[in-house]
Amino acid sequence: MKTNLFAALVALAVSSVGPAWAQQLGELSGTVRDADGNPAENVTVVAEHTTSAERHTAATSAQGRYRILAVPAAIYTVTASGPGFPEMVRENVRVQADEVVRVDFDMQSDFAGDAPTLERLSIAFNFAYSTVKGTDTELVSPGLSLEGGARFNLGLVQIGGGLRYSTHSFRNVNHTYNTFLPFLELRKHFMFGSSRWYPFAAARAGLALESMIESGAVFRGSGTAFGGTIGIRYQPNASVGIELGGSYDYFNFGDFKADAERVWRICIDQEAGTNKNTLIKTVELCSPSSIPPQVGDREFITYEGTRRSVQEFRIFFGATIMLTKVTP
């Protein structure tokens, strides 16, 4: 009799405790959207127990939806992350028994004004160490350059423009090589890892205006330039980004032009033995066919056959300032 009574009590306890444990499970669900407000597919959503570190995982569908079933009632940290999708976090999410807890992730609202893909208008400045290769490579020393410009976000890419000034000196001749480069650029940002690190790649094309500045003579050349930029940006806050990277530009110049009177004076100096070096190896300043201009003449003469190309490599450091941002 006592045995039967004990068995009955155990059965009653099991039958009552079992449903109680079953009631301690809940569910997490929600929708994940990207920076453009579209459903984000294949984003991994993880719910991690705040004390035991137990993890429950699901992936979003083509509609950006996810469901995590049979989640024990507790407090969780829920994260969403994926390729090209910055990690977003929801802390202190409480799951209760027999309840569906909705946790949505919207990159457009979460990172408005913080991610560079959401910039509307920004300005950028950078300072660079640069080297030049091409015609007269062995004469040109490394130099410095300054660049400033503005960019406007079109959604998929940014379009921008600006001006760069580079200066280099010649090793064997007391002259300065200065390049002014107005440029247009298309720029696309790619994000991965933390939401505050933004690698970017860019390409630009523009018109190059070159001059060589010296007290005795002035040379000018013009042509086209194209190149690209790659680097990273660190975003310490929503308004300023710090950039570090490198760029390459290829210049293709036409025939050089020179101030006639000043070139003539340089030729006189050469004949007198006071200047033994030419400014550019490809230009013969004292050609017998040259006709000395009259004093006071500022006409620019063209040296045909002096077409040349130059490649410039730069390592830059600069800052971007966000002026306006996309409204969520």
Side-chain angles (χ1 to χ4, degrees), residues 158-196:
Q158 288 182 332
I159 184 170
L163 178 68
R164 179 195 300 168
Y165 169 75
S166 296
T167 180
H168 299 80
S169 61
F170 285 84
R171 293 188 181 95
N172 300 332
V173 187
N174 184 24
H175 298 292
T176 303
Y177 174 96
N178 298 276
T179 301
F180 296 89
L181 175 63
F183 62 84
L184 295 175
E185 67 178 1
L186 293 176
R187 185 177 292 246
K188 172 63 178 175
H189 291 271
F190 303 93
M191 294 182 295
F192 64 87
S194 169
S195 62
R196 293 191 178 277

Side-chain angles (χ1 to χ4, degrees), residues 261-275:
E261 181 198 350
R262 296 185 183 183
V263 169
W264 176 64
R265 291 183 180 277
I266 287 292
C267 291
I268 297 299
D269 290 341
Q270 286 182 321
E271 293 175 356
T274 58
N275 187 347

Side-chain angles (χ1 to χ4, degrees), residues 214-219 257-270 275 279 285-286 290-303:
E214 197 271 334
S215 59
V218 175
F219 284 85
K257 296 182 179 182
D259 185 310
E261 181 198 350
R262 296 185 183 183
V263 169
W264 176 64
R265 291 183 180 277
I266 287 292
C267 291
I268 297 299
D269 290 341
Q270 286 182 321
N275 187 347
L279 296 179
L285 298 180
C286 295
S290 298
I291 302 176
Q294 299 295 321
V295 175
D297 187 358
R298 286 295 182 270
E299 179 184 359
F300 277 81
I301 59 175
T302 300
Y303 288 91

Side-chain angles (χ1 to χ4, degrees), residues 27-30 32 44-50 54-58 66 68 71 74-81 87-95 101-105 110:
E27 177 182 330
L28 285 167
S29 67
V32 181
T44 301
V45 180
V46 178
E48 182 174 332
H49 197 290
T50 55
E54 179 183 0
R55 294 160 65 93
H56 304 269
T57 305
Y66 74 92
I68 306 179
V71 180
I75 297 177
Y76 293 85
T77 298
V78 185
T79 62
S81 62
E87 183 179 81
M88 295 191 290
V89 181
R90 298 285 187 271
E91 296 181 345
N92 299 319
V93 177
R94 182 180 295 275
V95 177
V101 180
R102 185 175 183 86
V103 180
D104 296 325
F105 297 89
D110 280 24

Side-chain angles (χ1 to χ4, degrees), residues 167 314 327-328:
T167 180
R314 303 168 64 248
T327 303

